[in-house]
Amino acid sequence: AEYMGTLPKSTLVHMPPKAQKRKAELPLEGMVFVQTGTMSLTRAEMAQHLKDNGATVANAVSGKCTHLLYAPDGIATSKYADAQRRGLTLITESELDALIADNSPAPASPASPAATRTPKVEPAAADETETPIPAPKSASEKSGSKSAAGLQTLKKKGRGVVDIHSGLADTAHVYEDGATVWQCTLNQTNIGQNNNKFYIIQLLEADGGGK
C-alpha cells in the first residue's frame, strides 16, 4: 500500500504485485511430436510424458509436426514414410531421453532410462491406423501379370532411411551433421490434372565414410 499525494491518509491504494518472471522453458517447448510403433510406455503415457516436457502431441503427420517419435516396428508404417517425405526429425525413445536431458535447465532431472521400462502393447486408436508400405511392383506386375505380393524391408541407418528407389540403400546412408539430417521432400501439386508428385532429396554418404 502507498500514500498518494493529496489523498486522505486513510485512503489506501493497492498496487498489483510485480509480474513474476517467466519460468524457464521446458526442454521440448515448441516441438510437435507424432508417435509410431510400440514404445516402452502406452500411447497415452508417452503423450503425457511429452506434454510434461513442453511438447505438443498430434495424432497424424502434418505440416505443423516437427518430430516423429518411432519404435523399430514403426519404420515400415505410413506415418514413418510420410514423416520422412516431409523432412521431419526422426527420433527414437532413447534419443528423446537424451534430448530432454540435454535441453533441461541445470540441474537437469535425469530422464528415465528406456531400459527400466516394461514394454506395453497397446492397439492403435481408430484415427492412428498405420499401414505397412507395399513393395514396388515389378515390371511383370505393372504389365498385368500376377505374382506373389510382398512387403518392402526398409533399412534404417542412423536417423534416416535411404530412399529405396535410389539403389543405394545397401551401400550408403543419409548424411548427418550433429542434430541435422540432410534430407528433405518437395511436393508438386497439379490442380488441373488432380495429381501430386513427391521428390525426395537426400545427401548420401557411403557406408564406412567413403565418398
Side-chain angles (χ1 to χ4, degrees), residues 77-149:
T77 63
S78 57
K79 275 186 181 179
Y80 189 97
D82 194 12
Q84 187 180 39
R85 283 195 299 267
R86 292 174 181 270
L88 272 61
T89 298
L90 308 176
I91 185 171
T92 63
E93 194 171 353
S94 60
E95 290 171 336
L96 172 66
D97 287 340
L99 179 62
I100 292 174
D102 290 343
N103 292 348
S104 295
S109 298
S112 301
T116 64
R117 300 172 183 161
T118 302
K120 300 180 181 179
V121 179
E122 181 183 59
D127 60 344
E128 297 180 351
T129 301
E130 300 168 359
T131 307
I133 303 171
K137 292 184 177 180
S138 64
S140 60
E141 288 177 305
K142 291 179 181 179
S143 62
S145 61
K146 296 181 179 179
S147 64

Side-chain angles (χ1 to χ4, degrees), residues 4 21 23 33-34 62 68 70 75 77 85 98 138-139 155 158 166 185-186 189 191 193:
M4 305 294 291
K21 291 185 178 180
K23 293 182 178 180
F33 279 80
V34 178
S62 69
L68 176 74
Y70 71 96
I75 294 177
T77 63
R85 283 195 299 267
S138 64
K155 294 185 177 180
S166 68
T185 303
L186 299 181
T189 301
I191 299 177
Q193 296 183 9

Side-chain angles (χ1 to χ4, degrees), residues 31-49:
M31 304 179 190
V32 181
F33 279 80
V34 178
Q35 303 180 57
T36 185
T38 305
M39 308 289 174
S40 64
L41 301 176
T42 65
R43 286 291 176 90
E45 289 171 341
M46 182 57 74
Q48 189 60 52
H49 178 55

Side-chain angles (χ1 to χ4, degrees), residues 113-191:
T116 64
R117 300 172 183 161
T118 302
K120 300 180 181 179
V121 179
E122 181 183 59
D127 60 344
E128 297 180 351
T129 301
E130 300 168 359
T131 307
I133 303 171
K137 292 184 177 180
S138 64
S140 60
E141 288 177 305
K142 291 179 181 179
S143 62
S145 61
K146 296 181 179 179
S147 64
L151 296 178
Q152 177 67 45
T153 300
L154 302 178
K155 294 185 177 180
K156 179 177 179 293
K157 303 174 183 178
R159 284 177 288 171
V161 175
V162 177
D163 179 19
I164 58 176
H165 301 292
S166 68
L168 299 173
D170 293 328
T171 59
H173 56 272
V174 180
Y175 180 74
E176 298 181 26
D177 182 11
T180 302
V181 181
W182 286 68
Q183 62 181 8
C184 66
T185 303
L186 299 181
N187 177 29
Q188 181 184 35
T189 301
N190 188 323
I191 299 177

